[in-house]
Amino acid sequence: MPRAGEQRAQAGSSWWWLASLLLPVISTSSSSSSSSSSYSSSSFPTYQRAEAGGTRTGFLGRTLVLLDVNTRSPTRILNDNFLSVQLDPSIISDGWLVFLSSKRLVTLARGLSPAFLRFGGKRTDFLQFNNHKNLAKYRGPGPDYYLKNYDDDIVHSDIAMDKQNGCKVASHPDMMLELQREKAASTHLVLLKEQLSNIYSNVTITARSLDKLYNFADCAGLHLILGLNALHRNPDNSWNTSSTLSLLKYSAGKKYNISWELGNEPNAYRSMVGRAVNSTQLSQDYAQLRTLLQSVRYYNRAHLYGPNSGRPRRNAILLLDGFMKDAGSVIDAVTWQHYFQDGRLKKVEDFLKTRLLDTLREQITKVAKVVSTHTPGKKVWLGGLGPAWSGGINNLSDTFAAAFLWANTLGMAAVQGIDVVLRHSFFDYGYTHLVDQHFNPLPDYWFSLVFKRLVGPKVLAVRVAGLQRKPQKGRVIRDKLRIYAHCTSYSKGNRPFTSR
């Protein structure tokens, strides 16, 4: 790493860049081009040729990078909620939903606000709303029995709950957290078996569960986007709205400020449950949902996002194209998902391949082409993104190795015009999240926090004016270098942050 004196920007410098492929040191200097940069080369260390017979020390002896950053006119202005997060409905099954009241979890989530919180994932399409505070409890030995009774205890105990500014937060005993981790591990095996067999059980979201979810989002300063079950079908394959209507009425009665989406990766329904929903039917379903929202006074102007299609391969692109043609005007933003690699890949090198980093650019281009064809100017969201699917890989997708993908994603998405990036997942069982099961922030969380604090909404054009690598004189390595520039954010610069 360079010494502090080797790279020092002027105080109050108005731009900041991210390099998603880590280089030990980068020496920067402004280009002589008069068309862009407003900063002077004296602000940064310049390359000094070694004296005759001498040697250059450190990385400066091997690499020279000349950058030209246009600080006068940003290329794009980002949404304040550009970096947002997601929670998977599996937290209902594995029991972690109860612990969203954790003061530590709420504090960590608050560090990433303002942001959207999407409650959605593979089990979105198996959610059923039940408007009852208490369902029949499972009685028997094991952690589940004690956890369900513990749920009642923390709800009714004024001692356990810390009501600050209308928020309900709690400090959970270590013993209960250990029982919960035991339960989550066993439940995960069941969920994995369902995924491998494509035989899924319904997931019941009760009124109390929704209250807990909304309390978490509201206390953390996140805007909740709730995914609705698109596979709840009538015999003629039309969408069954009974559960959704009940949920809408309950949420409106509680005055919950929620945005909505319908379904998760509809292009994969045939492989998941043996039932296909084509673009025409899905368009009709979204139009019906919009009508439902308008019929509930509190949600007549609520935002609706979709279709949340999968990676833009052939089937997903065909569905997205048909959907945007028929229902593009119904939604407020277009959503789609991208996961970089299969959870079965287990090498660090897999996370560092430039070809892997570039797949996102290619897929953004495909989606943007469809959207611009049918609804020019419609905002595009990356509605579910993670370094790996299938739960990720322990000691790999939850380490700094995967942070290269996350850093590159944010930089590339900003440059390519993505309005919002929703990271899967903020917290749950597995190894692709921002916070682990001990409520400890993982590397991607810290990067996200730094991004929120330092990176402003103005995206700047940055050009590599010159780049060489020694000892092979003149060898260009532009294909392995990622540099993204933004104006600095000052909105949160002085706000304290603790994760007690």
Side-chain angles (χ1 to χ4, degrees):
M1 295 294 293
R3 295 183 178 87
E6 291 179 338
Q7 282 198 23
R8 181 180 297 119
Q10 290 180 341
S13 172
S14 63
W15 61 273
W16 193 73
W17 73 78
L18 302 173
S20 70
L21 183 61
L22 182 64
L23 295 177
V25 174
I26 296 179
S27 173
T28 61
S29 173
S30 63
S31 169
S32 61
S33 171
S34 61
S35 63
S36 59
S37 179
S38 64
Y39 61 86
S40 64
S41 59
S42 62
S43 303
F44 296 89
T46 55
Y47 174 79
Q48 301 292 333
R49 184 182 300 276
E51 297 180 0
T55 59
R56 292 169 293 185
T57 60
F59 195 69
L60 292 178
R62 289 176 281 130
T63 299
L64 170 66
V65 181
L66 301 176
L67 300 181
D68 182 10
V69 182
N70 183 348
T71 61
R72 294 176 178 173
S73 55
T75 59
R76 302 183 189 278
I77 304 296
L78 296 182
N79 190 318
D80 288 341
N81 293 4
F82 173 72
L83 194 167
S84 292
V85 293
Q86 176 178 332
L87 279 174
D88 195 278
S90 62
I91 65 172
I92 298 174
S93 301
D94 64 24
W96 281 117
L97 181 68
V98 173
F99 294 84
L100 289 183
S101 59
S102 164
K103 186 175 182 179
R104 185 177 176 88
L105 270 185
V106 170
T107 302
L108 289 170
R110 190 180 293 145
L112 302 182
S113 67
F116 294 108
L117 174 66
R118 175 187 181 242
F119 188 70
K122 187 177 289 292
R123 284 167 178 80
T124 292
D125 293 302
F126 303 95
L127 281 176
Q128 296 291 336
F129 180 68
N130 191 312
N131 190 5
H132 290 88
K133 290 290 184 179
N134 291 291
L135 295 178
K137 291 183 177 295
Y138 167 83
R139 297 295 178 181
D144 196 54
Y145 168 78
Y146 299 102
L147 286 167
K148 287 188 175 182
N149 284 276
Y150 174 64
D151 184 12
D152 281 341
D153 291 340
I154 64 172
V155 167
H156 297 295
S157 173
D158 291 332
I159 297 176
M161 306 305 294
D162 181 11
K163 299 181 180 179
Q164 298 177 343
N165 300 321
C167 293
K168 298 179 180 179
V169 294
S171 297
H172 301 281
D174 292 340
M175 180 187 71
M176 302 313 300
L177 289 170
E178 186 61 36
L179 285 172
Q180 170 54 30
R181 284 190 284 269
E182 179 185 335
K183 175 189 175 182
S186 61
T187 304
H188 176 71
L189 296 177
V190 176
L191 298 179
L192 183 60
K193 183 178 179 180
E194 288 185 357
Q195 185 172 326
L196 295 175
S197 64
N198 281 333
I199 301 176
Y200 295 90
S201 302
N202 286 332
V203 179
T204 299
I205 178 169
T206 64
R208 177 180 289 181
S209 298
L210 184 60
D211 294 343
K212 291 178 182 296
L213 178 63
Y214 190 82
N215 176 74
F216 171 76
D218 191 46
C219 290
L222 309 177
H223 178 78
L224 181 61
I225 302 173
L226 194 59
L228 300 171
N229 184 347
L231 281 178
H232 191 194
R233 296 271 150 187
N234 296 314
D236 63 355
N237 207 34
S238 61
W239 182 43
N240 187 317
T241 63
S242 58
S243 178
T244 295
L245 186 57
S246 178
L247 191 154
L248 288 175
K249 289 180 177 179
Y250 177 81
S251 301
K254 302 284 283 190
K255 298 189 182 303
Y256 287 162
N257 182 19
I258 300 175
S259 295
W260 308 89
E261 69 175 2
L262 179 62
N264 183 78
E265 294 192 73
N267 52 288
Y269 286 165
R270 183 182 293 278
S271 61
M272 281 179 57
V273 296
R275 168 183 282 183
V277 177
N278 59 32
S279 61
T280 301
Q281 181 62 60
L282 189 64
S283 300
Q284 294 173 0
D285 299 340
Y286 265 82
Q288 189 174 7
L289 176 54
R290 175 60 78 183
T291 301
L292 276 180
L293 291 172
Q294 292 171 346
S295 70
V296 179
R297 184 176 180 180
Y298 192 76
Y299 293 122
N300 61 359
R301 295 184 179 179
H303 289 151
L304 176 60
Y305 306 110
N308 202 39
S309 56
R311 291 192 297 171
R313 296 174 176 173
R314 184 174 181 274
N315 290 339
I317 283 292
L318 288 175
L319 183 138
L320 180 62
D321 183 74
F323 177 85
M324 294 307 300
K325 179 181 178 181
D326 297 334
S329 60
V330 174
I331 56 176
D332 295 289
V334 184
T335 58
W336 61 286
Q337 298 190 27
H338 175 75
Y339 290 83
F340 281 98
Q341 38 186 326
D342 193 321
R344 292 172 295 183
L345 300 179
K346 299 181 179 180
K347 296 186 297 182
V348 173
E349 292 78 9
D350 294 330
F351 288 85
L352 305 179
K353 295 176 180 177
T354 55
R355 180 70 185 87
L356 179 66
L357 299 177
D358 290 338
T359 57
L360 181 59
R361 180 190 292 111
E362 298 165 2
Q363 296 190 9
I364 290 175
T365 301
K366 291 179 182 179
V367 172
K369 181 178 179 180
V370 173
V371 174
S372 62
T373 298
H374 300 293
T375 53
K378 181 73 70 175
K379 294 178 181 179
V380 178
W381 290 15
L382 196 44
L385 179 135
W389 64 87
S390 299
I393 312 106
N394 188 22
N395 292 325
L396 192 53
S397 58
D398 54 352
T399 67
F400 280 105
F404 290 107
L405 296 179
W406 184 219
N408 184 69
T409 294
L410 293 173
M412 186 177 293
V415 170
Q416 296 293 321
I418 296 296
D419 188 56
V420 172
V421 177
L422 289 151
R423 171 58 190 262
H424 183 284
S425 176
F426 174 72
F427 167 79
D428 195 8
Y429 184 90
Y431 310 104
T432 61
H433 311 307
L434 301 184
V435 180
D436 69 14
Q437 293 185 91
H438 295 270
F439 300 164
N440 293 321
L442 295 170
D444 279 6
Y445 175 86
W446 292 117
F447 181 85
S448 301
L449 183 65
V450 169
F451 190 96
K452 280 284 188 179
R453 294 302 179 89
L454 299 183
V455 181
K458 294 181 180 180
V459 183
L460 306 178
V462 57
R463 182 176 66 90
V464 179
L467 192 155
Q468 288 185 332
R469 186 171 184 173
K470 302 295 183 179
Q472 297 180 5
K473 187 175 182 179
R475 180 185 176 190
V476 178
I477 59 170
R478 285 184 177 87
D479 62 323
K480 295 184 180 298
L481 182 64
R482 301 290 190 274
I483 299 176
Y484 305 104
H486 293 245
C487 288
T488 305
S489 172
Y490 295 103
S491 61
K492 290 188 176 183
N494 297 319
R495 193 179 77 177
F497 172 78
T498 58
S499 60
R500 294 192 300 271

